[in-house]
Amino acid sequence: MKQKFNVITSTCVPLPLENVDTDQIIPARFLKATTREESFFGDNLFRDWRYKADGSLNQDFVLNNPAYGGCILVAGKNFGSGSSREHAAWAIAGYGFRVVISSFFADIHKNNELNNFVLPVQVSDDFLAELFASIQHDPKTEVEVDLPNQTVTNKSTGRSEHFDINGYKKHCLMNGLDDIDFLVQNQEKTKQWEQQSK
């Protein structure tokens, strides 16, 4: 879903696991789906962790814990490794997450998130560890993600870090534009450049 980004303040869902790959985010069997509905992929986010073999809820998994919620997923190091399937980003967006915070992202998955209006925020290992500790201590801990200033703040401690983002992607997120929207918006400029280049 195309949504403009500015400042997002939310409670978080903690997933303190490292090397979470795209097959764990959305199992391969769902790649055969003929729908692009966000709700379908969101319903199957972390499918094999959320549900038991008999289809019942796994009450031990964090998404099934009513204490945790919000539109920010805080994940362990090396999030989104494995295959390049964009379906993983569809599932994250479809569930309702707008931000994923980790200390390292697989490059292709990171770009897939950006292309699907999910903001990947890469922080230091130390900041991530503090964030997990704060959320574990108090599930109501809020985090502020300020895209214009490229800062992320743990509201319970007041500690902030700067994060990097490609300038073009930042512009698109802040204006709710995908790549096609951007080209259409700049159609006249493109025509002028073509005329001048002849």
Side-chain angles (χ1 to χ4, degrees), residues 78-79 100-107 109-110 113 120-122:
N78 195 28
F79 186 77
V100 179
I101 299 174
S102 179
S103 59
F104 184 80
F105 291 88
D107 285 341
H109 179 72
K110 184 176 185 178
E113 285 192 6
V121 174
Q122 188 164 317

Side-chain angles (χ1 to χ4, degrees), residues 8-9 22 24 61 74 81 119 121 140 145 147 159 164 166 172 181 196 198:
I8 292 177
T9 302
T22 52
Q24 293 162 328
F61 186 58
V74 181
S81 57
L119 176 62
V121 174
K140 294 182 179 179
V145 178
L147 179 56
R159 181 178 173 182
D164 294 326
N166 174 277
C172 286
D181 295 328
Q196 293 171 358
K198 288 183 177 178

